[in-house]
Amino acid sequence: MAQTEQLVQLLIYGIQLGVIYALIALGYTMVYGIINLINFAHGDFVMIGAFTAFFAVNLAGVGFFPAILAAMLFPAVLSIIIERLAYRPLRDKPRLSALITAIGVSIFLENFPRMVPFIGPNFKRFPELITMRHFYVLGQASINSIQISNIVASGVLLALLIFLVQYTKMGRAMRAVAYNKDAAALMGINVNRVISLTFFIGAALAGAGGVLYSLTYPMIDVLMGGWLGTKAFIAAVFGGIGSIPGAVLGGLLMGIIEVFATAVYSELGYGSGFIVLIFVLLFRPSGLLGKAPLDKV
Amino acid sequence: MTNNTTNIANSVLNGRLLEVEKLGIRFGGLQAVGEFDLHLDAGGLYGIIGPNGAGKTTVFNMLTGIYRPTEGRIVFKGKEMVGEKIHNFTAAGVARTFQNVRLFKNLTVLENIEIALHNGVEYGLLSAFFRSSAMRKKEEEILDEASALLKRLGLLSYSEKKASSLPYGLQRRLEIARALATSPTLLLLDEPAAGMNPQEVDQLAQDIRWIKEEFGLTVLLIEHHMALVMEICDHITVMNFGRTIADGAPGEIRNNRMVVEAYLGKGGKF
Amino acid sequence: MKGIKSYIPALGLLVFYLVCIQLRQAGYIKNYWIQILMFALINAMVTLGLYLINGITGQFSIGQAGFVSVGAYSSGAVTTLLFNFSSLSAAAKPIVFLLSIAVAALVSGFCGYLIGRPSLRLKGDYLAIVTLAFGEILRAIIRCIPQVGGPRGFTGLPRYSTLGWIIVFFGLTVWFMRNYIHSSFGRACVSIREDELASETMGIDTTKYKVQAFVIGATMAGVAGALLAHVLGFLHPDQFNYARSTDFLVYLYAGGAGTMSGAIVGACVLTVLPEMLRFLAGWRLVIYGLLLVLMMLYRPTGICGGREFPFLVPRLKRSPEAIGGRHDE
């Protein structure tokens, strides 16, 4: 393959991975933006989404669209329950209590399915929901049907999210709560409902991310959410945590950097994103699109 | 404790204690303070007054290194201070309190003072790790010094209380005590009377005068409480919109038309 | 009076050691439990280092496992690559072992400085991410060094750490930490946690003390890593991933981040507890996760509830003159 073709090919891979990171990063960033919590359990909704789709397809025999819908709904409802039971009582406590709780929730979410007989600790093969076809875009460089559906599905979800946040009443309430919870409450906004909704949306996007990821890399297990979550989290910080465009930008860059670094040297792929992150933070301490916190004297 | 006579001797050597010339700062496009001049002689009691948003606290923040001015000079004891870190301002002898009281709330009154005595500590890291006898001796001295200071300010009986548990007036007093523990020559008080009732304000006026004499200080304060400023200050600078609009002894300021206008609008009267 | 009292904790540790050894020889406790105890104390050392950074100085580091790995690998490199430990004479072994621990302390302390110096100006969560990223980068680097086994793991380390060694280093760590916290330096660190700006206006060079706390915490983790390497005899980069770092975080906050006792008790209880739950097989981690959540909900101050063992608080006598009035004039 010629060099340009190779670059284009890598770029396609990078974007495909990047949109998945972006979808997951959105949940981190939204929850952080609204209650300043690094939701360590967020990555596990990716895994739960993937397994929901797995069972929806294998047991009910549904296709791509119902599967992804189920994979968004189930984790979303679960996340509302978890927020209600585990995080809400700690909202006025020191922030770290909620963080440790999130770690506890994550340990629970990763280990409970392992013990359930029909899931267990072993890898499972994710069903093929989209027929694999290749389209050549430039010489030998090609894009396949899964990559296209990943990018299109992410784009649609992102557009929906932006519409929701920017142009609806609920979105305005979300922005208000993120800006100042107490003032928002005084304006008659139901803060609890807004926070629940934020968790709902975040987990739904993570669930969708889980399905899209599993289409590409069809071996799923209960731990997949842990490290996917970490990378998406890094992406969120990279872009500026709390910022929705930042999460998208961070996710895309993270995916692209990782793919290119792996192409250079396979052991480099894992650490590369982190190295870039450190450099970005040293020069832009609040991430690419994040706002610097103000310390009022 | 700082010694009255040496402080004054020092400043006589260098002329003025603090010279601020054409000080200014911009935040983005906004000129928050500009062309600000201030000359303080050792031993004086100075005030800055002005309406809300006039830039008074911004001046304090520049005088203590929290903001770095974009124009002008700050010369303290003959040394150019612009660009120095906050803790170097403190080491040079500038101490301050904050408008909204920034104590170490969860620590005891005594600990608040001990922390401020940090710069007097001479033992090294190894002494600390091994808790050497020299270290223990120095720690005992710090404890004594802190207790003595608390006693002088009438706070000794609270020394084991959490700072946040003190009544508001005492918290303000503790914040002043903490500033004094850094052995300053210049003490900056940011709205010391804020939130106080008339009796407390009277007491505060006495306290400030007493502290100034007792610790051999020069005091600069920001205040809204006009009676207090007029009563205790030797010299007053009036700010509005980031600029100095008047400057002089309390009597002159009282009769200055621009000052009256800034506060009360045209046709107003004190 | 002071002379005798201050040795009681050290004597206590010695008695504890002798009792453990006797019980093992008499067959009442298995080697397995002795090993768990060793892990518990090593974890407590790492957690104490983290306590200094997070609990005392109020920074937010979540990359503590990275420093453990630096200590473990560098000490392993000394005993295994630099010297051929098993061929050394019995007299040389402890010297080389101590040397490897010293190297581990230096290298991890230096890494602490390298990462702390530029990144401690970041606030809160951003600092957390850098420390996490740093740990992961280290892991990636170790994978690329074939001399220490790369991704396959570092094998053949001498299993020279004994309960005795570990108790000595644990005791020293606790003692040093207590002394540091109750010194002017420790107070400076606490003031940064309470209000960084106020601390700076008290004349405290906050950057210096943040870096200092970070380096000391990293050094302690490094020493613990060196001991761990020579308990396990085998190291793998994945032992030190970010999940391991969050373990230390959990030990600290579950024990109670407000006190040294919390750090120690948290690490010991949460190291031993999963082992005691082992009869539950895979369910133990499910229960562990649940317990963690329940504890944060119903006992947010941690196991120790903010209390400190009395011997961890040195007392000073206030001289009567200070209160009596001699200083008044």
Side-chain angles (χ1 to χ4, degrees):
Chain A
M1 242 193 268
Q3 206 148 34
T4 344
E5 291 169 22
Q6 211 173 350
L7 282 180
V8 170
Q9 188 65 68
L10 288 175
L11 201 61
I12 292 171
Y13 282 129
I15 292 172
Q16 175 198 20
L17 192 59
V19 292
I20 295 167
Y21 288 156
L23 281 184
I24 307 168
L26 281 167
Y28 276 112
T29 233
M30 289 171 69
V31 167
Y32 188 90
I34 217 150
I35 55 170
N36 277 346
L37 168 71
I38 302 177
N39 184 7
F40 268 95
H42 182 68
D44 298 308
F45 294 122
V46 177
M47 173 269 292
I48 292 169
F51 274 95
T52 310
F54 173 84
F55 287 113
V57 175
N58 283 359
L59 300 179
V62 300
F64 176 72
F65 286 106
I68 201 167
L69 201 64
M72 290 173 75
L73 269 179
F74 181 62
V77 171
L78 193 63
S79 82
I80 287 189
I81 297 170
I82 289 170
E83 192 274 327
R84 182 73 194 81
L85 294 179
Y87 302 151
R88 191 177 297 178
L90 293 169
R91 207 176 287 156
D92 300 320
K93 297 274 163 38
R95 276 180 38 197
L96 282 163
S97 305
L99 187 84
I100 302 297
T101 310
I103 295 174
V105 170
S106 173
I107 295 174
F108 177 80
L109 289 181
E110 280 171 22
N111 288 287
F112 185 72
R114 279 163 81 96
M115 299 314 293
V116 178
F118 52 90
I119 299 178
N122 296 328
F123 280 95
K124 295 211 182 301
R125 178 149 200 100
F126 197 76
E128 209 175 291
L129 289 173
I130 288 171
T131 330
M132 179 67 110
R133 286 173 60 193
H134 289 271
F135 307 94
Y136 290 93
V137 284
L138 180 81
Q140 292 287 301
S142 68
I143 188 165
N144 64 38
S145 46
I146 291 177
Q147 288 162 335
I148 293 173
S149 52
N150 273 0
I151 295 167
V152 170
S154 311
V156 169
L157 287 172
L158 186 63
L160 277 175
L161 177 73
I162 289 173
F163 173 77
L164 185 86
V165 172
Q166 293 296 335
Y167 300 103
T168 65
K169 205 174 154 200
M170 204 61 205
R172 195 163 56 220
M174 281 171 81
R175 284 180 285 141
V177 173
Y179 191 74
N180 186 334
K181 219 179 295 161
D182 297 329
L186 287 175
M187 296 300 118
I189 292 172
N190 184 339
V191 173
N192 282 336
R193 230 176 77 204
V194 171
I195 292 173
S196 292
L197 183 77
T198 308
F199 271 86
F200 184 91
I201 296 171
L205 293 175
V211 176
L212 299 183
Y213 185 82
S214 312
L215 288 176
T216 319
Y217 307 93
M219 298 308 285
I220 61 172
D221 80 325
V222 290
L223 296 179
M224 66 185 277
W227 54 268
L228 252 177
T230 313
K231 286 190 192 170
F233 173 52
I234 294 285
V237 178
F238 188 29
I241 196 154
S243 151
I244 287 178
V248 176
L249 181 66
L252 280 174
L253 284 177
M254 183 89 179
I256 293 168
I257 289 166
E258 191 180 313
V259 165
F260 275 86
T262 312
V264 175
Y265 181 56
S266 64
E267 288 291 340
L268 215 62
Y270 186 72
S272 59
F274 295 101
I275 294 173
V276 175
L277 172 83
I278 286 191
F279 276 102
V280 167
L281 285 189
L282 290 183
F283 294 104
R284 284 196 62 92
S286 305
L288 290 176
L289 302 179
K291 285 193 198 77
L294 274 176
D295 190 11
K296 180 115 176 66
V297 179
Chain B
M1 272 315 118
T2 35
N3 185 311
N4 203 344
T5 40
T6 45
N7 280 344
I8 292 172
N10 271 338
S11 52
V12 168
L13 278 175
N14 305 319
R16 289 218 155 105
L17 179 67
L18 178 75
E19 293 268 11
V20 173
E21 277 168 15
K22 302 218 177 308
L23 200 64
I25 187 168
R26 289 175 170 279
F27 295 113
L30 177 80
Q31 181 92 39
V33 172
E35 306 271 314
F36 182 79
D37 291 341
L38 193 66
H39 307 284
L40 306 189
D41 288 321
L45 216 167
Y46 298 85
I48 300 179
I49 59 172
N52 278 325
K56 304 180 301 287
T57 297
T58 309
V59 167
F60 264 30
N61 286 341
M62 289 192 281
L63 293 183
T64 48
I66 294 172
Y67 292 159
R68 190 191 170 133
T70 42
E71 300 119 51
R73 308 197 319 143
I74 300 172
V75 180
F76 183 67
K77 292 183 187 167
K79 190 169 174 283
E80 174 64 60
M81 296 301 287
V82 170
E84 290 287 348
K85 293 216 168 106
I86 304 171
H87 59 90
N88 290 333
F89 275 83
T90 315
V94 183
R96 74 173 288 178
T97 63
F98 294 91
Q99 201 171 340
N100 43 349
V101 189
R102 293 184 84 138
L103 289 169
F104 303 118
K105 292 191 200 70
N106 299 312
L107 306 184
T108 65
V109 168
L110 184 69
E111 283 166 330
N112 267 274
I113 303 292
E114 284 182 327
I115 286 166
L117 290 168
H118 178 84
N119 274 352
V121 172
E122 293 126 10
Y123 58 81
L125 199 52
L126 273 184
S127 289
F129 275 131
F130 287 96
R131 211 169 170 78
S132 68
S133 59
M135 181 270 185
R136 283 203 304 272
K137 191 161 162 285
K138 183 70 203 172
E139 281 292 296
E140 273 164 11
E141 280 171 31
I142 290 174
L143 180 60
D144 288 351
E145 202 178 331
S147 311
L149 180 65
L150 286 174
K151 182 169 165 38
R152 279 169 99 181
L153 287 160
L155 288 165
L156 188 63
S157 52
Y158 302 95
S159 50
E160 297 305 321
K161 290 244 165 30
K162 232 184 175 191
S164 60
S165 73
L166 296 190
Y168 183 71
L170 289 183
Q171 289 194 23
R172 286 215 164 259
R173 180 180 273 256
L174 175 59
E175 205 192 13
I176 293 175
R178 192 181 64 171
L180 291 172
T182 65
S183 308
T185 12
L186 173 62
L187 178 64
L188 308 181
L189 302 172
D190 196 345
E191 297 199 21
M196 287 189 171
N197 63 35
Q199 287 83 19
E200 285 172 326
V201 174
D202 284 346
Q203 179 65 42
L204 181 73
Q206 286 178 33
D207 287 350
I208 292 175
R209 280 211 198 94
W210 176 80
I211 285 166
K212 182 178 92 72
E213 295 307 322
E214 179 80 5
F215 292 85
L217 297 172
T218 307
V219 175
L220 173 64
L221 55 88
I222 292 175
E223 197 40 82
H224 274 306
H225 201 287
M226 208 50 72
L228 177 72
V229 181
M230 293 293 171
E231 185 193 337
I232 65 172
C233 292
D234 315 322
H235 189 101
I236 295 170
T237 303
V238 189
M239 291 184 76
N240 199 10
F241 300 116
R243 313 238 157 207
T244 307
I245 56 169
D247 193 22
E252 303 168 47
I253 297 298
R254 208 189 307 265
N255 301 319
N256 185 308
R257 195 175 47 84
M258 285 189 36
V259 178
V260 176
E261 274 178 20
Y263 270 88
L264 304 172
K266 285 198 170 131
K269 231 179 206 172
F270 267 111
Chain C
M1 181 195 86
K2 179 187 172 300
I4 301 172
K5 254 194 173 168
S6 62
Y7 291 112
I8 289 177
L11 278 174
L13 270 182
L14 181 66
V15 170
F16 176 71
Y17 170 68
L18 292 174
V19 167
C20 286
I21 294 300
Q22 287 306 314
L23 284 176
R24 177 171 63 177
Q25 269 165 5
Y28 288 111
I29 43 176
K30 285 184 268 178
N31 269 333
Y32 168 73
W33 283 105
I34 294 285
Q35 196 170 32
I36 299 299
L37 180 63
M38 284 159 56
F39 289 144
L41 294 178
I42 289 172
N43 287 340
M45 289 168 69
V46 183
T47 312
L48 279 172
L50 191 64
Y51 167 65
L52 180 61
I53 302 168
N54 289 20
I56 291 288
T57 318
Q59 304 304 299
F60 188 20
S61 166
I62 51 174
Q64 198 69 346
F67 297 118
V68 180
S69 75
V70 171
Y73 271 90
S74 55
S75 74
V78 170
T79 54
T80 313
L81 302 178
L82 206 59
F83 295 90
N84 186 356
F85 199 79
S86 55
S87 67
L88 292 172
S89 70
K93 276 182 179 173
I95 296 169
V96 170
F97 180 59
L98 286 175
L99 176 74
S100 80
I101 291 176
V103 169
L106 282 176
V107 177
S108 51
F110 181 67
C111 282
Y113 182 80
L114 275 189
I115 190 75
R117 188 63 240 226
S119 58
L120 280 164
R121 68 196 181 96
L122 299 174
K123 298 266 180 249
D125 297 329
Y126 285 95
L127 175 66
I129 310 317
V130 170
T131 55
L132 184 150
F134 164 71
E136 296 296 292
I137 289 169
L138 269 180
R139 205 148 67 88
I141 291 173
I142 291 170
R143 284 172 166 277
C144 298
I145 305 177
Q147 285 79 11
V148 293
R152 282 169 294 109
F154 190 7
T155 51
L157 279 73
R159 301 182 66 176
Y160 193 73
S161 297
T162 56
L163 184 62
W165 281 113
I166 289 171
I167 285 189
V168 167
F169 277 98
F170 170 74
L172 282 175
T173 305
V174 172
W175 189 59
F176 283 150
M177 186 63 95
R178 178 199 85 144
N179 291 348
Y180 180 83
I181 290 170
H182 295 277
S183 76
S184 175
F185 305 108
R187 283 197 299 271
C189 292
V190 170
S191 73
I192 295 170
R193 175 190 75 198
E194 290 294 311
D195 187 331
E196 191 169 336
L197 183 71
S199 167
E200 186 84 18
T201 54
M202 292 303 109
I204 291 166
D205 184 347
T206 52
T207 311
K208 176 179 154 192
Y209 288 101
K210 280 197 274 185
V211 173
Q212 190 175 81
F214 203 73
V215 169
I216 294 171
T219 308
M220 285 179 174
V223 170
L227 294 169
L228 179 70
H230 296 90
V231 175
L232 296 171
F234 168 77
L235 296 171
H236 190 275
D238 291 350
Q239 282 166 340
F240 305 102
N241 60 7
Y242 87 101
R244 191 75 193 103
S245 285
T246 53
D247 280 348
F248 296 118
L249 209 61
V250 167
Y251 298 154
L252 177 61
Y253 290 94
T259 58
M260 274 179 77
S261 314
I264 297 168
V265 171
C268 290
V269 169
L270 293 189
T271 310
V272 175
L273 186 72
E275 298 302 326
M276 292 173 68
L277 294 175
R278 206 166 263 282
F279 68 94
L280 296 165
W283 287 104
R284 75 197 170 103
L285 281 173
V286 179
I287 291 171
Y288 179 79
L290 270 182
L291 277 178
L292 205 57
V293 174
L294 291 176
M295 199 177 76
M296 282 296 137
L297 288 175
Y298 297 107
R299 196 177 163 82
T301 47
I303 300 170
C304 279
R307 280 185 297 273
E308 191 76 285
F309 294 127
F311 63 85
L312 293 176
V313 188
R315 291 277 168 217
L316 282 173
K317 269 221 307 278
R318 200 181 329 209
S319 72
E321 291 90 48
I323 313 171
R326 200 191 56 147
H327 282 251
D328 264 35
E329 260 321 311

